Amino acid sequence: MKIHDFAPAPNPTKLRVYLNEKGIEIPRVVVNLVEGQQNQEPFLSLNPLGGVPVLELDDGTTLCESLAIIEYFEELHPEPPMIGSDPLERAKVREIERTIDLGVLGRLARIVHASRSPLPGVKPMPELAERERARLPRVLGVVNARIGSQPFVCGERPTIADCTLFAGLRFGQFGGVEIPGEFANVHRWYESFSARPSTQ
Ligand SMILES: N[C@@H](CCC(=O)N[C@@H](CS)C(=O)NCC(=O)O)C(=O)O
């Protein structure tokens, strides 16, 4: 099995941090997004949508959604649990992970690509960037409150919500998007999570 990956991109980062936290090692193939390899063969035959990450199994089966890949590994390697240990805990972890993915990671990615995308040929769209920027504080407020004084987003141990939040914030930082200082718990969490070996 192997993972088609591009280190700077947020969705592959989410998966990589998850695998590192679990101690799972999988060989990687770099798909250079800046060179446009995601839109060329042989990659397009693996994922016609032209996105990374992609998990390719030894029999040629592919999985092309980061969360589906994570859930697959979580079923194969349930310990330590990173999506909760009982039905309600799992639902709460998935709830906040989806909130973070759609509201923080996805939004920061749109802001970065609409203002100064690292991908060639992506034209700046200042209006889109501003609209997304204006919507960020509300979801950051929810995440900030959820973290509170806890070490991780969902409490005392890391979950997939931490992997997604880290991937989103790191890409935002790379693209020069400032997280307002009022979200002090988010800042404290980011500093602490960034020091974990899984993010290196
Ligand atoms: N929902 C997919 C998104 C995959 C995706 O769009 N990945 C980005 C990198 S974060 C990509 O490959 N972009 C290439 C492009 O837009 O050309 C997932 O979570 O895996």
Side-chain angles (χ1 to χ4, degrees), residues 6 8-14 31 33 36 38-39 43 47 49-54 63-69 98 101 105 109 113 117 119-120 122 171:
F6 187 57
N11 285 300
T13 299
K14 176 203 309 181
V31 181
L33 301 187
Q38 72 276 30
N39 294 316
F43 184 76
N47 182 6
L49 293 173
V52 285
V54 169
L63 284 172
C64 301
E65 270 293 329
S66 52
L67 186 56
I69 300 170
R98 290 290 74 211
D101 197 21
L105 185 155
H113 286 297
S117 177
L119 300 183
V122 178
F171 191 65

Side-chain angles (χ1 to χ4, degrees), residues 32-88:
N32 192 318
L33 301 187
V34 175
E35 291 177 5
Q37 289 176 352
Q38 72 276 30
N39 294 316
Q40 296 164 21
E41 294 297 349
F43 184 76
L44 269 185
S45 292
L46 295 174
N47 182 6
L49 293 173
V52 285
V54 169
L55 174 67
E56 183 181 0
L57 303 184
D58 293 341
D59 69 357
T61 305
T62 53
L63 284 172
C64 301
E65 270 293 329
S66 52
L67 186 56
I69 300 170
I70 286 172
E71 297 254 6
Y72 175 69
F73 280 115
E74 190 69 8
E75 290 200 26
L76 291 179
H77 305 271
E79 295 296 331
M82 285 188 66
I83 317 185
S85 315
D86 62 50
L88 182 59

Side-chain angles (χ1 to χ4, degrees), residues 24-200:
I24 300 168
E25 283 185 30
I26 312 279
R28 293 168 196 288
V29 180
V30 175
V31 181
N32 192 318
L33 301 187
V34 175
E35 291 177 5
Q37 289 176 352
Q38 72 276 30
N39 294 316
Q40 296 164 21
E41 294 297 349
F43 184 76
L44 269 185
S45 292
L46 295 174
N47 182 6
L49 293 173
V52 285
V54 169
L55 174 67
E56 183 181 0
L57 303 184
D58 293 341
D59 69 357
T61 305
T62 53
L63 284 172
C64 301
E65 270 293 329
S66 52
L67 186 56
I69 300 170
I70 286 172
E71 297 254 6
Y72 175 69
F73 280 115
E74 190 69 8
E75 290 200 26
L76 291 179
H77 305 271
E79 295 296 331
M82 285 188 66
I83 317 185
S85 315
D86 62 50
L88 182 59
E89 201 190 334
R90 276 195 284 280
K92 294 303 285 179
V93 170
R94 288 187 172 115
E95 175 187 62
I96 191 69
E97 192 281 332
R98 290 290 74 211
T99 300
I100 292 168
D101 197 21
L102 299 170
V104 180
L105 185 155
R107 185 156 283 137
L108 284 168
R110 285 193 291 281
I111 295 170
V112 171
H113 286 297
S115 34
R116 48 170 179 168
S117 177
L119 300 183
V122 178
K123 293 202 177 95
M125 289 190 279
E127 276 181 25
L128 174 64
E130 273 323 297
R131 196 180 70 205
E132 294 295 338
R133 211 182 278 273
R135 290 178 174 169
L136 198 51
R138 191 167 178 175
V139 67
L140 282 176
V142 168
V143 175
N144 195 65
R146 180 64 184 266
I147 295 173
S149 59
Q150 307 179 119
F152 300 102
V153 174
C154 295
E156 295 299 317
R157 59 175 193 229
T159 65
I160 57 170
D162 297 280
C163 305
T164 303
L165 185 57
F166 174 78
L169 293 182
R170 199 192 69 164
F171 191 65
Q173 184 179 45
F174 160 82
V177 184
E178 297 254 328
I179 301 301
E182 69 190 92
F183 303 113
N185 301 334
V186 172
H187 280 281
R188 176 187 51 75
W189 172 90
Y190 185 63
E191 198 177 323
S192 151
F193 198 81
S194 301
R196 291 178 74 78
S198 63
T199 67
Q200 308 307 310

